[in-house]
Each structure stands twice: as C-alpha cells, then as structure tokens.
Amino acid sequence: HMAFLEAHDFVTQDGALTPDGVWASKLRIDAPLLVAQGIRKNLLPQQDPALLAAIVSAFVNEKEFSDDLLYTGSLPKRLKDVFLENRKGLKPFALQLLESGFDAPNLFIQPCALLYAWAHDAPWEEMINGSDFAEGDLARLILRTSENLRQIASLEDSFPQIAMTARRAIDLIVKEPVVMV
C-alpha cells in the first residue's frame, strides 16, 4: 500500500503525508483514494451541485447493475457525458488500486440517474417505481451520498469551489421523505 501511495504522491519516501496526502487523509468516505484522484484530475463537477451529487452516488452505491441505461435516450446528455468522463478518467487509477490490494468500486450510471433526478425534485413515488431500488435502499443511497458530500465540503481550504458545490448538493438531496424536515 505504501508503495502505491508514494507512487501517486500521497506520501513521501519516508512515509510522511504530502500536501495531497494531508487533504486526502481527511476524506472519511467509501472510496477516498478514487475520489481524491477525481478531485485532483478535476473530474468531479465543480459548479453543478446536482451533477456532483449524482457522480458521488456512483462511489457509494452497493448494488451491481448493467449499463443498459447508458444506451437509452432517457439520460440527460450532461449527466451521461460527465459520468463517462469520470469512469474513463478514473479507470487506470482504479485498476492500479485493485492491483495494489485496495478496494475500488465499479461505477454504475443508475444511481447517478436517480440522484440527479432527486436533486431536480423528481417525485419520490416516481423514483421508487422507476428504479431497481427498494425505498429503504434508495434512502440509504441518498444519505450515504450526503455523508460523502459532507466530507468533500470539508475540503474548503484546499478546494473551495468543490467544497461549496458539495454543500449546495447536500441541500438538494437531503429532504423529505428521506429525512423529516
């Protein structure tokens, strides 16, 4: 693990955290190194809170899906483009993570499409009826995504723009009936 972290500039040869290692070590999230790499490569959406929530949901999703949704015309083009850019941009790093003994999630579009719709005020019943998620699973996905966004929001000293966007994304997704207001 240390060789991987050193090769990717998270630690120095003597094991001390680099500047990137310092902020990345503060991420208490599902896929910290993969998300950190996404931030470093400017792959995660910096300006669009709904899009950021959608992409972050791919990192916390626990279900396996097919990519059939990618080949339908039902996805917003911007969401599809940003998702594919993230998956393609992070794939080499994810493969290196796996080869080095770290976990790296498969990224699927379906959770992204759901979170994107939810952030744009799609009705809850429509979300449940139009997806493969049970109501409790969807609520869990939203809450876990919001927790990951809170961690990204904590990076305001290093990445003020994405931190602000993450805070705005939380406001878009944490709402009834997932939480009682």
Side-chain angles (χ1 to χ4, degrees):
H1 285 162
M2 287 300 286
F4 177 88
L5 295 172
E6 183 184 332
H8 291 281
D9 198 35
F10 288 107
V11 298
T12 63
Q13 283 185 329
D14 61 358
L17 293 174
T18 64
D20 279 352
V22 170
W23 65 260
S25 70
K26 295 177 184 176
L27 292 173
R28 305 287 190 258
I29 58 178
D30 291 85
L33 292 174
L34 202 56
V35 171
Q37 184 71 355
I39 291 171
R40 289 198 305 190
K41 292 185 76 171
N42 291 318
L43 292 170
L44 298 181
Q46 300 280 321
Q47 306 288 331
D48 185 331
L51 201 51
L52 180 59
I55 297 303
V56 169
S57 73
F59 295 101
V60 304
N61 171 58
E62 297 173 327
K63 293 179 68 133
E64 294 286 323
F65 294 100
S66 71
D67 280 338
D68 293 348
L69 196 55
L70 280 171
Y71 307 106
T72 68
S74 63
L75 286 175
K77 181 176 177 4
R78 177 85 175 120
L79 174 61
K80 182 177 177 178
D81 291 348
V82 171
F83 173 79
L84 290 173
E85 179 182 331
N86 269 272
R87 194 160 73 175
K88 180 180 177 187
L90 291 173
K91 185 176 181 177
F93 188 78
L95 292 174
Q96 291 173 9
L97 279 171
L98 292 169
E99 290 168 2
S100 297
F102 290 96
D103 289 330
N106 288 322
L107 303 180
F108 297 101
I109 190 76
Q110 189 171 112
C112 299
L114 287 169
L115 263 287
Y116 194 72
W118 182 241
H120 283 101
D121 295 326
W124 183 253
E125 295 77 26
E126 186 179 298
M127 301 274 298
I128 297 303
N129 294 333
S131 79
D132 293 333
F133 279 85
E135 194 167 359
D137 293 338
L138 182 56
R140 178 176 159 85
L141 176 68
I142 293 166
L143 291 172
R144 290 184 67 222
T145 299
S146 72
E147 284 303 315
N148 278 247
L149 288 165
R150 278 187 184 86
Q151 293 294 312
I152 294 169
S154 75
L155 299 177
E156 57 198 5
D157 291 340
S158 303
F159 300 96
Q161 181 60 53
I162 198 167
M164 181 180 69
T165 302
R167 283 189 295 277
R168 291 174 46 217
I170 294 165
D171 291 340
L172 292 177
I173 66 170
V174 177
K175 55 189 175 185
E176 289 188 21
V178 177
V179 295
M180 301 312 264
V181 179

